[in-house]
Amino acid sequence: VRRTSGHQWTCSDVTFHCTSQRLCEQWIHVINEQLSFHTNRPRSLLVYINPYGGKRQGRRVYEQKVAPLFHRAHISADVIVTERANHARDHLKTEAELDKYDGVVCVGGDGMFSEILHGLVTRTQADSGVDQDQPDAELVPCSLHIGIIPAGSTDCICFATVGTNDPVTSALHIIVGDSQPMDVCSVHHNNSFLRYSVSLLGYGFYGDVLSDSERNRWQGPARYDLSGVKTFLSHNYYEGTVSFLPAESNKGDPRDELKLNGKPVCLVCSQQGSTLHAQKYKNLQGQERREKANELLVIHGKFLAINAANMSCACPRSPKGLSPSAHLADGNTDLILVRKCSRLDFFRHLLRHTNKDDQFDHSFVEVHRVRRFRFQPRHHELASLEDLSEGLKKSGFSPICVTQTTCNYSTTHSSWTCDGEILPHADIQVSVHRQLIRLFARGIEEEQQQQRSVFEDLGPHLALEPSLHWTVD
Ligand SMILES: Nc1ncnc2c1ncn2[C@@H]1O[C@H](COP(=O)(O)OP(=O)(O)OP(=O)(O)O)[C@@H](O)[C@H]1O
């Protein structure tokens, strides 16, 4: 495995020459022996391909770029090409024989990753007897690693954990058995589970952009830009109360200059890795004590945007992301509150996501690293829009009434976008579950790390099963 530019990895062959056949055989023996010590490498994978993701190239990408590498690395793969939305999620939840595999791989975009996340986490909780409807439930970490082969139109999770959207690089991270722990947020409404999130929960600006773009899917990929402009011009703000439990003081600050996002050297993410289970109970007890002691902070206000960034959310358009110093696996999320301000100020704030200026350095922006939070819109939320219109239909109310209610609702409430999906409720409770999943990735590497060879990182063990060429002169 060789590093090229921009966090990309490629496959390279090494040919050893020797005059003695006996010596060559010894080499092969030793190399194979060294490889067998590297037990983190997966041997058996379950692969889901979304044939309709992105430019509909998922199947071709897997067959031409990924499968040959898995074959060379002696990894066996059971491949399922999905036939409908939620096929992968449902299969993982109920049918998949997970004991047979070392990892689950999705070939697609963020939506496909979300299916795998929900399938795997839900299955793990069900197998362990944990009720995920309970907002305080201590969720059990998933034992299988997740690999992402980017083949969607939005591949943000892959970009933020690998540093590039390249199928070969992702396949090589899977083959060498990289392991990146990752926090997962659970989202509840009134003690019932809504969704899991690993990247962005956004209310106000980002929620409105996504809702609008969903209504205009016919516009194709340009819909995100068009909805962005439209939402910016409408300049809506929403009133409500945010209450949150701040992170422990040793977890760094969202405005840390040192960006240690999930890198192997990141002490915050690697902290307590192996002793996590033992520590967890203690921490929870401490946490409950503090909450009882009213250490929840409460902020009331009018907000243009409320964002919870569980990772940097870096993407090619915003290379440092919404929260550049967010960690992937520290048990916290960065809560960014953008209060009502002028259009020009809001524009300046948005612009700073694309350059090197500090987007938090505005009087109307505040950012907190938190373990859990709740948002309550000012106007009482009677029911979700869907519940509301369903209920009205059942009770025989006229469509005019539904329209009026919807209008009222939509001017006082925004919607939450949860990793690109719209949530049906505005009043939500969010808890971060530390290191609930592991990806076949290693975070975005620093420049110095990129100078090293992947072989050095693996210590004495090699990366790939060698297709050794030897020549006897
Ligand atoms: N066979 C299928 N047919 C239709 N939809 C599917 C199929 N398989 C998966 N999906 C759904 O397609 C959605 C989008 O998939 P994916 O994230 O892979 O691609 P994308 O192009 O990045 O999507 P987006 O439209 O979100 O930009 C996912 O939410 C997934 O549930």
Side-chain angles (χ1 to χ4, degrees):
V1 177
R2 189 165 51 83
R3 288 187 168 95
T4 59
S5 59
H7 303 284
Q8 294 214 354
W9 287 9
T10 174
C11 228
S12 67
D13 288 320
V14 180
T15 308
F16 296 95
H17 297 269
C18 177
T19 48
S20 152
Q21 180 163 350
R22 236 186 97 243
L23 195 55
C24 284
E25 279 162 3
Q26 270 180 358
W27 283 350
I28 294 171
H29 176 74
V30 170
I31 290 171
N32 280 333
E33 195 179 60
Q34 291 293 314
L35 276 167
S36 69
F37 292 142
H38 193 66
T39 50
N40 288 346
R41 293 176 53 221
R43 296 272 156 204
S44 173
L45 296 170
L46 176 57
V47 179
Y48 294 97
I49 303 177
N50 176 2
Y52 300 112
K55 296 188 184 124
R56 304 186 167 211
Q57 297 293 308
R59 201 194 285 235
R60 192 188 63 81
V61 163
Y62 181 76
E63 282 165 7
Q64 294 185 3
K65 298 190 171 178
V66 179
L69 292 177
F70 284 175
H71 181 71
R72 275 180 78 178
H74 291 195
I75 293 175
S76 70
D78 288 341
V79 178
I80 296 177
V81 179
T82 59
E83 288 161 11
R84 57 176 173 84
N86 293 326
H87 181 172
R89 185 198 66 184
D90 296 344
H91 185 258
L92 272 171
K93 257 165 102 170
T94 51
E95 282 171 59
E97 292 176 60
L98 298 184
D99 295 346
K100 282 169 53 183
Y101 305 106
D102 304 311
V104 180
V105 173
C106 61
V107 184
D110 290 338
M112 209 37 203
F113 170 80
S114 183
E115 278 202 29
I116 303 296
L117 170 77
H118 281 82
L120 206 54
V121 173
T122 304
R123 171 75 175 269
T124 307
Q125 307 323 307
D127 288 352
S128 315
V130 175
D131 179 4
Q132 62 183 1
D133 272 333
Q134 298 304 319
D136 296 332
E138 189 185 347
L139 301 184
V140 175
C142 302
S143 52
L144 296 188
H145 279 67
I146 303 177
I148 311 173
I149 303 293
S153 48
T154 46
D155 300 302
C156 297
I157 307 204
C158 180
F159 190 90
T161 52
V162 175
T164 182
N165 287 332
D166 171 48
V168 169
T169 305
S170 288
L172 292 172
H173 279 283
I174 295 171
I175 288 169
V176 302
D178 268 344
S179 181
Q180 171 66 56
M182 224 166 126
D183 297 338
V184 176
C185 288
S186 61
V187 186
H188 289 79
H189 167 77
N190 279 351
N191 290 337
S192 68
F193 170 74
L194 293 180
R195 277 192 85 81
Y196 292 114
S197 159
V198 294
S199 59
L200 174 68
L201 274 158
Y203 187 79
F205 183 72
Y206 289 104
D208 291 351
V209 171
L210 198 82
S211 307
D212 190 71
S213 66
E214 281 301 306
R215 282 193 291 271
N216 296 304
R217 282 193 86 86
W218 58 272
Q219 292 171 343
R223 69 187 187 273
Y224 295 113
D225 290 335
L226 295 171
S227 298
V229 173
K230 200 167 137 193
T231 307
F232 172 76
L233 291 175
S234 58
H235 201 61
N236 287 335
Y237 64 86
Y238 303 95
E239 197 166 353
T241 304
V242 186
S243 39
F244 60 87
L245 187 69
E248 288 163 4
S249 53
N250 63 350
K251 292 294 192 284
D253 187 89
R255 300 189 67 179
D256 281 344
E257 292 206 357
L258 254 185
K259 294 173 195 144
L260 295 168
N261 185 12
K263 300 177 183 95
V265 291
C266 176
L267 295 176
V268 175
C269 287
S270 57
Q271 202 182 8
Q272 299 174 1
S274 55
T275 55
L276 188 62
H277 284 282
Q279 284 286 327
K280 220 170 180 176
Y281 184 64
K282 264 183 165 171
N283 291 348
L284 271 179
Q285 282 182 321
Q287 189 168 306
E288 274 163 18
R289 270 203 302 275
R290 273 190 292 279
E291 276 178 81
K292 276 182 194 143
N294 282 336
E295 282 195 33
L296 276 182
L297 297 185
V298 180
I299 295 177
H300 179 81
K302 294 173 179 162
F303 304 102
L304 285 172
I306 298 172
N307 301 318
N310 203 23
M311 55 167 68
S312 69
C313 301
C315 64
R317 269 191 186 187
S318 173
K320 61 185 177 137
L322 273 183
S323 189
S325 298
H327 295 270
L328 290 171
D330 64 340
N332 300 297
T333 186
D334 287 352
L335 186 61
I336 306 160
L337 307 176
V338 184
R339 288 178 188 270
K340 190 181 160 198
C341 62
S342 71
R343 264 199 196 89
L344 183 62
D345 279 343
F346 189 48
F347 181 69
R348 286 195 183 114
H349 166 68
L350 291 179
L351 200 62
R352 287 187 179 185
H353 291 85
T354 60
N355 59 35
K356 290 206 162 108
D357 294 337
D358 179 0
Q359 66 257 41
F360 303 136
D361 188 19
H362 296 285
S363 57
F364 53 90
V365 178
E366 54 189 284
V367 56
H368 304 271
R369 188 154 285 171
V370 308
R371 280 172 278 174
R372 54 175 66 185
F373 72 92
R374 178 172 185 184
F375 175 70
Q376 291 162 290
R378 170 158 179 243
H379 297 281
H380 186 53
E381 188 185 11
L382 287 168
S384 77
L385 274 182
E386 276 169 36
D387 297 346
L388 214 55
S389 45
E390 271 304 306
L392 289 168
K393 261 186 244 158
K394 276 183 203 152
S395 61
F397 275 76
S398 72
I400 296 171
C401 183
V402 177
T403 316
Q404 279 171 351
T405 318
T406 308
C407 287
N408 271 341
Y409 185 97
S410 65
T411 49
T412 54
H413 295 71
S414 171
S415 305
W416 283 96
T417 159
C418 175
D419 294 3
E421 297 290 326
I422 301 288
L423 296 182
H425 299 280
D427 181 342
I428 59 166
Q429 287 161 269
V430 177
S431 302
V432 187
H433 301 270
R434 185 160 185 247
Q435 302 185 4
L436 195 64
I437 56 168
R438 284 181 176 267
L439 299 190
F440 286 117
R442 56 172 65 182
I444 302 173
E445 293 183 308
E446 295 278 18
E447 232 164 74
Q448 306 94 284
Q449 286 170 303
Q450 288 187 66
Q451 311 296 324
R452 292 154 58 95
S453 84
V454 175
F455 291 90
E456 285 176 71
D457 293 346
L458 292 172
H461 311 307
L462 297 175
L464 285 175
E465 205 82 60
S467 55
L468 280 177
H469 311 285
W470 45 272
T471 53
V472 181
D473 296 331

